[in-house]
Amino acid sequence: EPEVTQTPSHQVTQMGQEVILRCVPISNHLYFYWYRQILGQKVEFLVSFYNNEISEKSEIFDDQFSVERPDGSNFTLKIRSTKLEDSAMYFCASSTGTGNYEQYFGPGTRLTVT
Amino acid sequence: QKEVEQNSGPLSVPEGAIASLNCTYSDRGSQSFFWYRQYSGKSPELIMFIYSNGDKEDGRFTAQLNKASQYVSLLIRDSQPSDSATYLCAVKAGKLIFGQGTTLQVKP
């Protein structure tokens, strides 16, 4: 069964460093998403991406964040200068369409900023 | 601000019982509703989705939607210890808006 994959599973970085989180969405999916979950809190939407551009972003997704689909399979989230409060689980998700279409989540990357 | 509300629990049920999980949402125009299961330290796993008023059954799971009252529920029949997890209600508005999740404990 196709699934979303994410690498790395755990990333430890120092405050101020840049990190890139990688995702491979399900192959026939066209819509891609990043969510994050701070320990003990809700899953929060960060950004959605379709047709090589951002379709929606949340208030969390400020200038420190960027997304890219560098090739036909990968979807990346970059945090330019990490802060302690960026420590969270980051989940990539994908779907075949918008509207009444399910989103499938990857296993997540645990980002720890020290 | 679109909100999704769930009782955080924990909801404790004995093995074999029916677990009932509830969710309310604020945006009356919402059309798509999802239940995800999340084990500790893991990602959300889709278990049910519902778009129309009424009930939708899939194995031991039944999702119920009442758009007039703006609530969604999930029933788990014959609950098993392996069902112990946090159940996340999500409402689609392009993106998914998640509730806090209800922790379910099924005791043998």
Side-chain angles (χ1 to χ4, degrees):
Chain A
E1 184 175 321
E3 57 184 20
V4 178
T5 60
Q6 290 185 244
T7 54
S9 57
H10 190 191
Q11 174 89 49
V12 181
T13 189
Q14 289 189 328
M15 196 166 50
Q17 295 298 303
E18 174 183 287
V19 295
I20 298 176
L21 310 183
R22 292 182 167 78
C23 168
V24 179
I26 294 172
S27 62
N28 65 335
H29 284 188
L30 301 176
Y31 292 80
F32 314 120
Y33 309 84
W34 284 101
Y35 293 83
R36 80 171 185 190
Q37 187 176 31
I38 295 170
L39 188 63
Q41 297 188 21
K42 293 183 183 185
V43 176
E44 302 174 287
F45 168 78
L46 292 178
V47 66
S48 58
F49 192 85
Y50 168 70
N51 198 26
N52 280 321
E53 59 183 32
I54 290 173
S55 43
E56 187 176 359
K57 59 183 181 180
S58 71
E59 293 175 353
I60 303 167
F61 194 89
D62 62 20
D63 292 344
Q64 293 300 312
F65 291 87
S66 62
V67 290
E68 191 179 30
R69 187 153 166 83
D71 53 43
S73 59
N74 289 282
F75 178 51
T76 62
L77 174 69
K78 182 193 291 187
I79 309 175
R80 286 189 185 80
S81 178
T82 50
K83 307 184 187 81
L84 293 175
E85 54 264 37
D86 293 328
S87 295
M89 282 289 284
Y90 287 80
F91 298 113
C92 175
S94 69
S95 67
T96 53
T98 188
N100 291 349
Y101 288 91
E102 311 89 78
Q103 292 181 21
Y104 294 92
F105 282 69
T109 293
R110 179 172 297 283
L111 177 64
T112 302
V113 182
T114 61
Chain B
Q1 183 93 6
K2 297 173 183 175
E3 298 284 344
V4 177
E5 298 291 337
Q6 294 181 257
N7 187 324
S8 59
L11 172 67
S12 183
V13 300
E15 184 174 356
I18 295 174
S20 177
L21 306 160
N22 300 310
C23 169
T24 59
Y25 60 94
S26 63
D27 182 9
R28 188 169 287 279
S30 300
Q31 296 294 319
S32 314
F33 308 88
F34 302 83
W35 284 99
Y36 287 83
R37 178 174 61 199
Q38 186 176 35
Y39 294 110
S40 182
K42 301 296 185 182
S43 64
E45 174 193 5
L46 180 66
I47 52 173
M48 288 286 293
F49 54 90
I50 187 167
Y51 309 136
S52 304
N53 272 331
D55 295 1
K56 180 182 177 183
E57 188 174 316
D58 183 1
R60 295 188 295 113
F61 298 97
T62 299
Q64 299 175 316
L65 173 60
N66 184 322
K67 289 185 179 180
S69 300
Q70 294 176 242
Y71 85 78
V72 197
S73 61
L74 180 71
L75 301 178
I76 306 174
R77 288 181 299 281
D78 188 25
S79 296
Q80 300 297 309
S82 58
D83 294 327
S84 298
T86 298
Y87 289 80
L88 308 178
C89 174
V91 175
K92 193 119 178 264
K95 60 188 182 254
L96 289 174
I97 302 170
F98 283 86
Q100 181 72 26
T102 299
T103 299
L104 173 66
Q105 296 174 345
V106 181
K107 298 192 171 178

